[in-house]
Amino acid sequence: MPGIGIPSLASSLPPIVKRNYGRWISHEHPRPGVIKHDSESGEACFTVRAAMPPNARVSTSTMRMLCGLADEFAEGFFRVTQRNSIEFIGVPEGRIEELIARLAKQNFPVGGTNRSLHNTTCCTGYMHCHLAATDPAAIMKAISEMLHKEYTTDCLPAKLKISGSGCINNCGEGSCADIGIVGIHRDLPPVNAEKLKGCELPLVISVCPVGAIKPKGPGMVEIDPKKCIHCPACSVACAAFAPIGSPDGDGVAIVVGGKAANTGDGPAIAKMVIPYLPNNPPYFPEITQAVRNIVDVWVANAQPDERIGEWINRIGWEKFFQKAKLPMSFRLVDGYDARSLEYAKANVRFRW
Amino acid sequence: MEKIKLCCAKCGFTIEEYTAEELATVPRKEKRYKYLKAKSSICPSCLASGRLAETRVTVDAATGPAPKAAPASSVAAPIAHEVHAEGDTPMMDAMSTGHFPSHAVELKKTRYPAQMYEQALQQRRTQWGYGGYVSLPGVASGVLVRASARPEITKGSNFVRIMDPCGNFFSTKSMYALCDIADKYAYGLLHLLSTGGDLELLGIPTENLKPAVEEITAIGFDIGSTGDDYRTSEECIGPAKCDLTLYDTLGLREAWYKRFLDDVQYPRFPHKIKCKFSGCPNDCVRGCQKADFFLCGVYRDAPKINQEKVSKWVKDGGDIATVCSRCPGKCLTWKNGDGLKVDNDSCLHCMYCSNKVPGVRPGDDRGVAIMVGGKLRGKFGPMLSKVLVPFMKAEPPDYKEVFDALERFTEVYDANARKKERVGDFILRIGIDEFYRLCGVEPVPQMLAQPRTNFFTHWEPEEVKDERRL
Amino acid sequence: MPTITLSGEPFEVDEDGFLKDPARWNESVAKGLASEEGISELTEDHWKVIRYLNNYYKQFGSAPMVRKLSKETGFDLKTIYKLFPTGPAKGACKLAGLPKPTGCI
């Protein structure tokens, strides 16, 4: 039964890591998808990084196959990265090509290092979530296919991260990435009077960010349709406000320029540039084309080491919208939160 | 074009929709239509059960759903929109080809109810439902249920959250054992890394939950991280395989679990709390965006430069001009013969030069900064975390000073926040200045983005008296 | 909807055994549901927590936070989890007739 804690460090680290723990002095990228780390002991460690299926969903049979490769090439250990790639660590230099070929045979492309598209991440979406307004896993699959060349070659100005969230709860980290795809609802949640009996009404009223839920007689509430921002906070707090979502109401918003590193212009949350695109499974053509467009404009205009957010900071939002040929709309201007006036320009330093 | 809809008699939710033409020409559709009409169904929307009501509407063919646009990807072929047998998965098949591994292929290799996903894609809305409850005596956290809105496909699905080992390193031995458990009790499907840093096993029937949890703990993994507790902490790869890390993130996380395991497994806070540990300002775990409490490795002295290595890198074609011009503090200068010089007064210690140039390493005066209040949703939307303590020594093995501070700050949140209020929202409500005071941290200029521009500050009468006496 | 009969009285419950109408709660409900939540016998300590939760819910319409529950009943967190092995937010609330906890967010 629970209470034992996580597995010990000693049992989960591969031998080459144990020998050189904390002794690494430099790293380089010999080829896309392969990273070389040098230790002060003189030992070099080669890491081979491969993409995994969207949302890191693998069947046990595929996992056993990958474990077999780890046994054969990486002393029986592997690692899952923050961006849902799988890493084989300590692969002998002479056997790297063999491992890459073996992975390719199983449809696991190697890449996603340095100045390339890093593996996409997303939440579970339609696969296993009741709030999803879109299916980010399918979108990420379509985007990965479209940007296959960008994944396997170092052809971009800087690294590119694309993430997708099924709804604005953002479990898939859309707002963290250079390009984020975030599912949005546009319909009004229902109010099921029967189920409301089993609700904590004060909580439901307090979780609404805009105060759109108001008491209406004893044990009943109403939603102000003019105020609702479709955020599903009430649906999360109480089943009486569910289900939210409709095939034609749901869709995605596209945000750009998110970044965590303190290099360049420092950390930033991604900003919305397209307020709505429809869901069209299985290939989501509107969404993939919008992403292609933004990537192409960025590649054509950015300087080396400039991620999307930094490129936009340099050229300004007006130039970004002009170059990407995106329509401006008041939906992109935030009038919602307390800092809202900061979203409007307060000077006349325009770029035309 | 006439459309026939089968709807819930109570709430009007459309359960299936056919065209008159389809019903007349496609025997499978007709069979399904008759079957649904004859039986009592449970509405996925309002969960009322009973016979479905039929409505007929005439729609202009042009205003029907837009025809599917051609796929953007060159690899994928357009799917035919003909009628398929129940159990067919045209949407999933459409995403099963290409250069990348496909989740659809993986789902179909397991006992996952593929129609739940297929139907969601066809209907463009999720088929999973709201609510649901599963309790397992002795397990306060780590077990969740996902209800189904399509009980005829699956009744719902329990899953357990397993806390990942440090650095997300797995030995194949432990992974084979996990696969065996997933095959024995669950769908045989692994969610290898959720964005919260857990490994999830889906589809464990309620009666199997107890033996599954027992076997998981028997092979050395532990479960937890659901509910209003500390969620699984995440750390970057740190000293295990990175030359830039400024403290031992893996060791710190192991110590964190030793100290705070109860808070991970027994929910007690107003809302969830996410802790993330990054070894350096590159912030590979995205802690500044996601974590309520974020420990980021920082250093205070100048970067160390090995001139010999830098010169060699430049000679071999390294682009030192770009590095100097893109340095955010504009503190790097390069002259042939003189080498690389750094002006520590304007250095932001951002790691850019260390990332790019072999031979430039972070300095030796190292510690952690404690940041607070990052989140991607909460009540007031995404927020970056704010500096609470700009520098603190992280001393192994138990990191007492850091963890004492973390516990103190959590206590402030626990005692003052409202129910279901994330740390960032709580700070926004009470004011960051008040939060600093409650936490009892020292005011230092490193906390500031900029000082205030208005004069609306409060003084207590005693403070005024004290200042006069001075 | 399923119905359970406790002390000769029928109660409408949902698929997870929660009362449809929390207003109908009485002590027989707690007794009837205890075994599902891993409690073999309801002691005076259990009742103290259950009554506190029920009264709080009647007064404020929501469940108290764990910190408040612990302070007001005088039981520390460990004791509460020992009394209710599925936890205060799940087991204790169910027995006290409070609404079903929802979601993972």
Side-chain angles (χ1 to χ4, degrees):
Chain A
M1 278 294 161
I4 58 170
I6 53 171
S8 72
L9 206 47
S11 71
S12 37
L13 292 183
I16 187 165
V17 166
K18 269 190 211 156
R19 285 197 297 276
N20 298 292
Y21 192 84
R23 297 172 71 195
W24 306 105
I25 45 170
S26 69
H27 67 276
E28 55 189 292
H29 304 273
R31 58 152 284 172
V34 178
I35 312 172
K36 180 189 176 206
H37 283 85
D38 289 309
S39 162
E40 61 187 27
S41 69
E43 198 165 10
C45 172
F46 287 88
T47 301
V48 175
R49 183 183 285 177
M52 277 207 294
N55 199 226
R57 294 268 157 180
V58 287
S59 61
T60 45
S61 61
T62 305
M63 195 66 245
R64 289 201 172 91
M65 180 275 292
L66 291 169
C67 282
L69 288 178
D71 283 336
E72 206 176 318
F73 290 91
E75 300 184 271
F77 289 87
F78 67 93
R79 172 176 186 261
V80 186
T81 73
Q82 289 287 332
R83 291 204 73 76
N84 292 354
S85 304
I86 185 165
E87 280 185 351
F88 299 93
I89 290 165
V91 181
E93 192 175 2
R95 299 191 69 195
I96 291 174
E97 290 305 323
E98 190 190 344
L99 175 59
I100 293 175
R102 291 276 292 277
L103 281 164
K105 218 162 113 191
Q106 303 283 353
N107 232 15
F108 281 78
V110 168
T113 56
N114 208 12
R115 289 176 173 136
S116 65
L117 169 72
H118 287 219
N119 195 27
T120 55
T121 60
C122 63
C123 67
T124 69
Y126 289 166
M127 269 188 281
H128 209 245
C129 180
H130 58 310
L131 293 165
T134 186
D135 186 43
I139 298 175
M140 288 306 137
K141 167 76 176 152
I143 289 178
S144 299
E145 295 296 343
M146 178 180 71
L147 298 175
H148 175 243
K149 188 183 88 123
E150 283 80 355
Y151 179 80
T152 48
T153 47
D154 279 352
C155 60
L156 299 174
K159 68 174 85 169
L160 172 63
K161 295 181 176 178
I162 301 181
S163 301
S165 305
C167 73
I168 65 165
N169 284 314
N170 239 332
C171 298
E173 308 178 341
S175 295
C176 295
D178 292 298
I179 301 178
I181 287 123
V182 181
I184 52 166
H185 295 287
R186 299 190 300 171
D187 60 330
L188 213 56
V191 184
N192 182 325
E194 185 60 29
K195 287 196 171 171
L196 211 53
K197 278 189 206 159
C199 273
E200 301 182 37
L201 286 187
L203 180 67
V204 170
I205 291 169
S206 78
V207 294
C208 179
V210 287
I213 300 176
K214 293 215 172 68
K216 181 191 167 195
M220 189 57 200
V221 295
E222 63 178 349
I223 299 177
D224 184 345
K226 285 260 182 264
K227 278 188 175 173
C228 181
I229 52 170
H230 321 280
C231 69
C234 52
S235 315
V236 175
C238 171
F241 300 91
I244 186 172
S246 65
D248 292 319
D250 294 351
V252 305
I254 305 239
V255 291
V256 302
K259 163 178 196 279
N262 284 270
T263 55
D265 295 336
I269 303 269
K271 280 108 185 150
M272 191 191 288
V273 291
I274 301 178
Y276 175 79
L277 288 173
N279 283 331
N280 257 328
Y283 302 123
F284 299 87
E286 295 87 352
I287 300 167
T288 47
Q289 275 156 22
V291 170
R292 173 94 260 175
N293 173 32
I294 294 170
V295 172
D296 285 348
V297 179
W298 169 60
V299 171
N301 292 283
Q303 292 171 357
D305 287 344
E306 229 173 25
R307 288 177 66 175
I308 291 186
E310 284 145 8
W311 165 61
I312 296 173
N313 284 350
R314 177 168 61 81
I315 66 164
W317 285 101
E318 52 263 61
K319 281 285 162 197
F320 169 77
F321 277 94
Q322 195 186 69
K323 281 182 195 293
K325 298 198 175 58
L326 289 173
M328 163 72 187
S329 121
F330 284 133
R331 282 196 199 284
L332 303 175
V333 188
D334 190 351
Y336 160 66
D337 81 10
R339 303 153 289 178
S340 68
L341 280 182
E342 287 172 24
Y343 291 86
K345 202 171 220 175
N347 57 54
V348 288
R349 290 147 47 117
F350 303 127
R351 296 173 172 97
W352 295 105
Chain B
M1 184 167 68
E2 194 182 27
K3 277 200 167 176
I4 297 124
K5 290 181 179 179
L6 288 178
C7 310
C8 170
K10 200 167 161 222
C11 71
F13 178 76
T14 306
I15 287 168
E16 296 234 334
E17 195 178 277
Y18 316 90
T19 62
E21 196 192 349
E22 270 177 350
L23 281 190
T25 53
V26 187
R28 269 206 197 92
K29 287 255 164 175
E30 193 204 12
K31 201 175 143 200
R32 169 98 180 138
Y33 163 78
K34 282 191 177 153
Y35 167 75
L36 278 178
K37 269 207 85 171
K39 82 186 242 298
S40 162
S41 310
I42 297 174
C43 169
S45 171
C46 67
L47 294 178
S49 64
R51 292 284 175 86
L52 298 176
E54 184 185 303
T55 51
R56 285 172 184 258
V57 283
T58 313
V59 287
D60 189 344
T63 60
K68 298 274 184 289
S73 147
S74 58
V75 185
I79 59 153
H81 276 272
E82 75 265 298
V83 184
H84 52 274
E86 279 176 66
D88 275 1
T89 54
M91 286 280 182
M92 287 172 77
D93 296 345
M95 47 181 92
S96 298
T97 52
H99 300 286
F100 277 78
S102 164
H103 57 293
V105 173
E106 298 300 319
L107 291 181
K108 290 186 82 171
K109 283 187 194 164
T110 68
R111 288 189 298 277
Y112 174 86
Q115 280 301 323
M116 288 297 273
Y117 188 48
E118 176 64 24
Q119 291 289 319
L121 290 166
Q122 287 184 15
Q123 298 183 18
R124 296 190 292 148
R125 68 182 294 170
T126 178
Q127 304 296 303
W128 295 94
Y130 283 75
Y133 172 87
V134 63
S135 67
L136 184 57
V139 180
S141 164
V143 183
L144 270 175
V145 64
R146 187 71 77 223
S148 165
R150 295 292 297 273
E152 76 277 18
I153 301 175
T154 179
K155 289 263 181 312
S157 145
N158 298 316
F159 63 104
V160 295
R161 269 197 189 146
I162 301 169
M163 300 181 287
D164 265 4
C166 283
N168 299 332
F169 281 104
F170 291 92
S171 68
T172 51
K173 197 170 142 241
S174 64
M175 187 47 80
Y176 284 130
L178 265 179
C179 287
D180 290 343
I181 294 173
D183 281 341
K184 190 166 161 197
Y185 295 110
Y187 289 150
L189 177 67
L190 304 169
H191 185 187
L192 255 190
L193 183 71
S194 77
T195 46
D198 312 283
L199 191 156
E200 291 173 357
L201 295 187
L202 268 62
I204 305 178
T206 306
E207 63 274 17
N208 281 346
L209 273 175
K210 195 163 192 274
V213 170
E214 272 165 3
E215 287 198 24
I216 288 165
T217 46
I219 61 165
F221 289 96
D222 204 354
I223 67 165
S225 187
T226 65
D228 298 332
D229 46 22
Y230 276 143
R231 295 293 178 91
T232 304
S233 58
E234 274 187 286
E235 84 288 45
C236 69
I237 192 165
K241 217 199 63 194
C242 180
D243 47 309
L244 301 168
T245 186
L246 300 170
Y247 71 96
D248 181 357
T249 49
L250 281 77
L252 184 130
R253 182 175 186 254
E254 208 177 29
W256 186 86
Y257 268 105
K258 283 204 180 105
R259 178 150 170 182
F260 295 113
L261 184 62
D262 275 358
D263 285 335
V264 179
Q265 295 184 322
Y266 296 98
R268 68 177 175 106
F269 299 126
H271 204 345
K272 62 181 165 189
I273 301 177
K274 295 185 175 183
C275 297
K276 305 213 185 284
F277 316 129
S278 268
C280 77
N282 282 323
D283 193 5
C284 289
V285 289
R286 307 188 276 289
C288 66
Q289 294 163 322
K290 282 163 61 188
D292 297 288
F293 292 104
F294 166 44
L295 303 184
C296 186
V298 290
Y299 69 101
R300 295 192 287 196
D301 50 350
K304 290 182 295 187
I305 297 172
N306 181 332
Q307 298 294 359
E308 209 175 302
K309 271 193 173 176
V310 176
S311 300
K312 184 174 175 298
W313 179 71
V314 175
K315 221 165 110 194
D316 292 347
D319 187 1
I320 194 78
T322 298
V323 173
C324 289
S325 73
R326 289 205 57 78
C327 164
K330 301 272 174 279
C331 58
L332 291 175
T333 42
W334 164 261
K335 248 192 219 143
N336 271 328
D338 263 10
L340 192 65
K341 291 269 170 328
V342 58
D343 169 20
N344 194 34
D345 277 352
S346 54
C347 177
L348 298 175
H349 305 94
C350 75
M351 308 297 287
Y352 176 62
C353 50
S354 312
N355 292 342
K356 293 292 166 191
V357 188
V360 181
R361 310 254 299 138
D364 291 324
D365 185 11
R366 299 170 174 194
V368 295
I370 303 182
M371 314 274 289
V372 64
K375 68 197 170 68
L376 285 179
R377 159 117 160 64
K379 190 167 174 180
F380 295 109
M383 266 167 68
L384 287 174
S385 58
K386 312 288 177 213
V387 176
L388 190 55
V389 179
F391 190 89
M392 189 181 263
K393 284 277 176 204
E395 305 281 5
D398 56 0
Y399 301 91
K400 191 169 181 311
E401 196 189 352
V402 178
F403 290 159
D404 282 353
L406 185 63
E407 197 169 274
R408 209 168 67 235
F409 305 149
T410 305
E411 184 66 18
V412 168
Y413 165 67
D414 190 21
N416 296 286
R418 290 178 184 159
K419 201 170 168 180
K420 293 287 169 190
E421 191 175 45
R422 286 286 291 272
V423 176
D425 293 329
F426 161 64
I427 296 173
L428 206 59
R429 177 167 63 82
I430 66 162
I432 183 83
D433 53 342
E434 182 61 18
F435 184 72
Y436 283 147
R437 281 183 212 113
L438 287 171
C439 288
V441 292
E442 284 293 310
V444 281
Q446 275 80 3
M447 287 172 171
L448 284 176
Q450 58 174 23
R452 73 193 300 154
T453 50
N454 63 49
F455 309 93
F456 306 153
T457 58
H458 174 72
W459 299 87
E460 289 290 336
E462 296 79 47
E463 287 179 283
V464 181
K465 263 189 224 149
D466 288 349
E467 303 233 331
R468 275 196 188 153
R469 216 177 293 136
L470 289 172
Chain C
M1 277 301 149
T3 311
I4 51 166
T5 308
L6 302 162
S7 313
E9 219 183 324
F11 287 92
E12 257 195 310
V13 292
D14 70 6
E15 58 278 12
D16 298 312
F18 278 78
L19 284 193
K20 274 267 147 189
D21 185 358
R24 289 198 59 213
W25 182 87
N26 64 34
E27 299 200 347
S28 68
V29 174
K31 283 182 199 150
L33 298 176
S35 64
E36 277 179 37
E37 299 302 315
I39 301 161
S40 51
E41 199 196 333
L42 289 171
T43 63
E44 204 38 55
D45 289 350
H46 287 105
W47 283 115
K48 197 172 168 187
V49 174
I50 292 171
R51 288 199 191 102
Y52 172 76
L53 284 171
N54 190 267
N55 286 333
Y56 188 96
Y57 180 66
K58 276 187 185 138
Q59 200 180 346
F60 299 105
S62 74
M65 286 198 280
V66 180
R67 189 185 175 90
K68 194 163 171 68
L69 171 72
S70 173
K71 204 169 148 195
E72 301 276 323
T73 56
F75 297 129
D76 61 11
L77 195 71
K78 276 236 153 68
T79 319
I80 292 175
Y81 273 102
K82 212 173 266 170
L83 290 171
F84 298 94
T86 52
K90 284 180 166 182
C93 284
K94 185 175 184 181
L95 263 52
L98 268 59
K100 181 157 73 175
T102 47
C104 58
I105 305 290

